[in-house]
Amino acid sequence: MEVVIVADEDAAARISAGIVERLLTDKPAAVIGVATGSSPINTYRRLVEAYDAGRISFADAHIVLLDEYVGLAPDHPQRYRRFVHDHLVDHVDVPTGHVHAPDVDADDLNAAGPRYEALLADLGGVDLQLLGIGSDGHVGFNEPGSSLRSRTRIKTLTAATREDNARFFDHPDDVPRHVMTQGLATIGDARHLVLLACGAAKAAPVAAAVEGPLTTSCPASILQWHPHVTVVIDEDAASGLANVAYYRETHEGKPPWQHY
Ligand code: F6R
C-alpha cells in the first residue's frame, strides 16, 4: 500500500486524476470504477479538464458505479447515476451505454446484485476503482460488519452514514435507508484501488483502515489485503497515522520509473 500525503484536496485530486489519465493512455478501453460523494469531485473536474485539453478520451472506456441508493425515483437529484453524469459522464465522450450501475429499480433486487457481478466479469473486471471512506470506515456502502467476502447486494446504512449524507438532502429523513453496493470482495477484485480522503473527519477512519487490524469493524481495512493500493490523503486526514515519516520518505524518494 502506498500512502501519499499531500497539502490539500486539490493536490490529492491532481494525483488521482493523473492515475486515471495514465490508465486511459495505456489502456483506452479501461474499466473505471467510480465513487460518488464529496471526495472524488475535484478528481472528476480534473478529468474533464484533461478531456477538454485533448489528453484523454473515454470513447472506449467503461464507467462502473460503486453503489446506488435504493428507493429514490430514477430522476432524483441524489441518485448516484445522476451524480456521475453531472460530474463526469455528461462532460466527456463516454458512450451512455458504457455507464453501468447496480439495477436498483429491478423487481427482484436480490437478483440484481449477482447480475451486476456478472456484468463486471463480462467487462473483464475493474482496472481502477476510486474510493472514498466513510466516517465509520465504510468503503462503497459496506458498513462495519460487512463480510470480507461480500458481493454486490443490498445493505442498510448506519445512522452515522445517514447523518453524514443528510447534507445532500432537504431533510435528514429523506436519506434512503438502503443501498445496493459492490461488496468488499467485489472491490478487492479491482486491479488498482485508489482511496481519496481529505479533512480531519477522515483521520480516524484512515488510521483504522491503513494501520489498524484487518477487520470487518473497519471495512476499509480490506485495503491491506490488496496488492495494489494508493491512499491519497491530505495532512488533516493523515493526522491519526503513526508512520507518517515513513510514508513521506517513501514518496519523496519515489523513483521516476515507478508509477502509482
Ligand atoms: C460513495 C461511497 C461512499 C463514500 C463515502 C465518503 O459512492 O461509496 O463510500 O465514498 O461515504 O463520502 P464523502 O466523499 O462524501 O465523504
Side-chain angles (χ1 to χ4, degrees), residues 112-238:
R115 253 202 331 273
Y116 197 56
E117 293 284 329
L119 172 98
L120 297 179
D122 283 350
L123 291 174
V126 176
D127 289 296
L128 168 70
Q129 178 64 58
L130 291 169
L131 296 167
I133 185 170
S135 57
D136 62 2
H138 68 225
V139 278
F141 277 120
N142 295 283
E143 298 287 28
S146 292
S147 161
L148 298 176
R149 293 178 64 185
S150 50
R151 294 277 166 192
T152 304
R153 73 231 182 275
I154 300 287
K155 282 297 286 183
T156 303
L157 295 176
T158 61
T161 298
R162 291 185 70 233
E163 264 169 46
D164 286 347
N165 289 4
R167 68 192 193 279
F168 298 115
F169 290 82
D170 291 339
H171 192 277
D173 291 343
D174 296 343
V175 184
R177 290 184 181 277
H178 296 104
V179 287
M180 189 174 293
T181 179
Q182 287 189 28
L184 293 174
T186 321
I187 293 169
D189 281 347
R191 289 182 269 278
H192 185 185
L193 303 179
V194 177
L195 179 89
L196 278 166
C198 290
K202 299 292 167 88
V206 164
V210 174
E211 294 179 343
L214 171 58
T215 166
T216 58
S217 299
C218 176
S221 63
I222 58 140
L223 298 182
Q224 299 175 30
W225 193 245
H226 192 282
H228 190 185
V229 177
T230 311
V231 174
V232 189
I233 50 181
D234 71 355
E235 300 283 347
D236 288 340

Side-chain angles (χ1 to χ4, degrees), residues 68-87:
E68 180 60 279
Y69 282 124
V70 173
L72 295 182
D75 59 350
H76 193 285
Q78 291 307 324
R79 279 283 285 248
Y80 282 160
R81 186 184 268 275
R82 169 91 180 262
F83 175 101
V84 167
H85 272 265
D86 288 349
H87 291 280

Side-chain angles (χ1 to χ4, degrees), residues 17-41:
I19 292 172
V20 178
E21 203 175 317
R22 165 169 281 278
L23 172 66
L24 280 171
T25 305
D26 291 349
K27 185 177 180 183
V31 178
I32 302 167
V34 293
T36 59
S38 321
S39 303
I41 287 179

Side-chain angles (χ1 to χ4, degrees), residues 2-4 15 246-254 260:
E2 182 168 15
V3 180
V4 183
I15 290 179
Y246 175 67
Y247 306 137
R248 287 194 208 285
E249 187 189 326
T250 305
H251 194 242
E252 278 157 20
K254 196 172 171 63
Y260 290 109

